[in-house]
Amino acid sequence: MIRAFDAFSLPLLRWFDPEDAHRMAIHGLRLLPPVKPRADDHKLAVRAFGLNFPNPIGMAAGFDKSAEVPDALLRLGFGFVEIGTVTPRPQGGNPRPRLFRLERDEAVINRMGFNNDGAEAALRRLAARAHHGGIVGVNVGANKDSSDRVADYVKLIETFAPVASYFTVNVSSPNTPGLRNLQQSAALDDLLAKVIDARERVRRNAGDSPVLLKIAPDLSLTELDDVVHIARSRRVDGMIVANTTLARPSSLREQARAKEQGGLSGRPLFRLSTRMVAETYVRTEGAFPLIGVGGIDTGGAALTKIRAGASLIQLYSSLVYKGLGLVDDIKNDLASTLLRTGRDSLSEIVGADAATITAEDWPVV
């Protein structure tokens, strides 16, 4: 069914404006019949952040911004889904056009600006599907015009704790002015202290809510040192590496389209984001697991990200070019690798190449 859907939908959606195509994909998923997904190979199961993932492949934040189709995505074979970014109040985002395909680079540039239906609508949808099970994380951010951005994050933790499998604190989107400043040491320390405190306050009634920090791939290694130190000292449960990049590699073929403002994702981000995964992995020293994001479009790319230090991975931009069948392709490749090498789980190879990768020349961007 998925192969047939891809064969029909990918050429069709390419005729439409990228944002209109995205809305069409969401509507299509809402019509998906409630078919029970095929069970995953038990060797692909991952234990991380106190949660049991049936497989390591997640849908990254940005696709299902307002929690419209998390169950449809889980039925398509994702091991987990991250909705959002959600802000306390509904937000229209930046003016259109704000989403661009770089076809020949298999890349995307976006400057969406946290457009979403707001916390109330997302909470209502997540509460209605709570009995369905499955891991659904909530990526949280601040409203663009907020007078107290830290308070926005705290409010969202308190609001979504009963229905979120985990939280992602998004301080790394390049499309909300000043947001990335929250990655600076003093601001990040204050933010994480208050977020973790909010999580602890609601724990008795809402249960455990792992808190992850999502960072930009554009941090310097000195800045990464500070971020990891603060994340460890504030006892976050994990990190997501990485968001989109403001860099524009000279190797991009769609040079005219590459001049659009916003964050670049997809294949050109792979080497930089993978290097940042490895650099983060060696700095965390096993304190918490990582989710690797950026340019994963084959089973080999997924394996590289895992060997760089990611316990879990997330996709988004590659699905624009490869379709939903990519999820099964990656799972099959990972399972075959484990079988061929006589390993029982992916945890045996997480970070196996991290030291080697961090010794290489820095990726050219």
Side-chain angles (χ1 to χ4, degrees), residues 256-323:
R257 188 58 55 83
K259 294 177 182 177
E260 294 288 350
Q261 292 185 332
L264 175 71
S265 60
R267 178 174 287 181
L269 182 56
F270 180 74
R271 290 191 64 218
L272 175 61
S273 60
T274 303
R275 178 62 177 262
M276 290 298 285
V277 167
E279 296 285 356
T280 306
Y281 179 83
V282 299
R283 285 163 172 77
T284 59
E285 300 176 306
F288 45 69
L290 307 178
I291 299 179
V293 198
I296 301 170
D297 58 4
T298 63
L303 184 64
T304 298
K305 198 79 77 175
I306 291 168
R307 293 183 67 90
S311 294
L312 301 160
I313 59 172
Q314 288 178 326
L315 314 176
Y316 182 5
S317 297
S318 58
L319 300 171
V320 173
Y321 300 102
K322 297 294 182 69

Side-chain angles (χ1 to χ4, degrees), residues 174-175 180 217-218 243-249 258 261-264 269 272:
N175 302 316
R180 284 191 170 190
D218 305 320
N243 214 316
T244 58
T245 180
L246 289 172
R248 296 293 186 268
Q261 292 185 332
L264 175 71
L269 182 56
L272 175 61

